[in-house]
Amino acid sequence: QLYLVARLLLEWGAENKPSGYELSDAAKKSGSMKLARMLDSDLGGRRCEIFGMEKRTDLNGTTGVAEKYLAEKDRYKIVMENTGETFLVS
């Protein structure tokens, strides 16, 4: 449940690195590795607007949530807010 609360707060613009406190360290200490990975990602859990899509122009101007960063692909997994559709973007 902590993960879901943190994700909601991040979606609405909460800071994941308030001054002098590293939230991902606290998540790791509490054993919440999924939350720690999300907090360690620059965009993890953040709401984002899609633009510049050439193959899926219907997505331009829509919003989603950057669920996680996939380092091996250098891409973010995005979940669309209205449809739940997922895809990768750079």
Side-chain angles (χ1 to χ4, degrees):
Q1 186 169 350
L2 178 61
Y3 175 83
L4 296 175
V5 171
R7 182 173 167 171
L8 179 64
L9 290 170
L10 289 170
E11 286 176 19
W12 286 96
E15 291 292 324
N16 64 351
K17 295 179 182 167
S19 61
Y21 191 73
E22 187 67 43
L23 293 177
S24 66
D25 288 344
K28 289 172 189 170
K29 287 178 186 175
S30 72
S32 183
M33 297 311 294
K34 183 177 180 181
L35 176 58
R37 284 190 299 274
M38 181 179 68
L39 293 170
D40 283 339
S41 171
D42 288 335
L43 293 180
R46 296 290 187 175
R47 173 175 280 130
C48 55
E49 180 178 356
I50 307 300
F51 64 93
M53 299 289 282
E54 295 177 7
K55 293 181 181 179
R56 292 287 311 271
T57 57
D58 60 305
L59 295 175
N60 290 329
T62 61
T63 56
V65 175
E67 188 170 275
K68 63 182 171 181
Y69 177 69
L70 304 169
E72 67 279 0
K73 295 183 179 191
D74 193 28
R75 302 274 190 268
Y76 281 92
K77 179 181 177 184
I78 304 295
V79 179
M80 299 306 296
E81 289 185 320
N82 294 332
T83 65
E85 178 183 6
T86 62
F87 57 93
L88 303 179
V89 298
S90 58

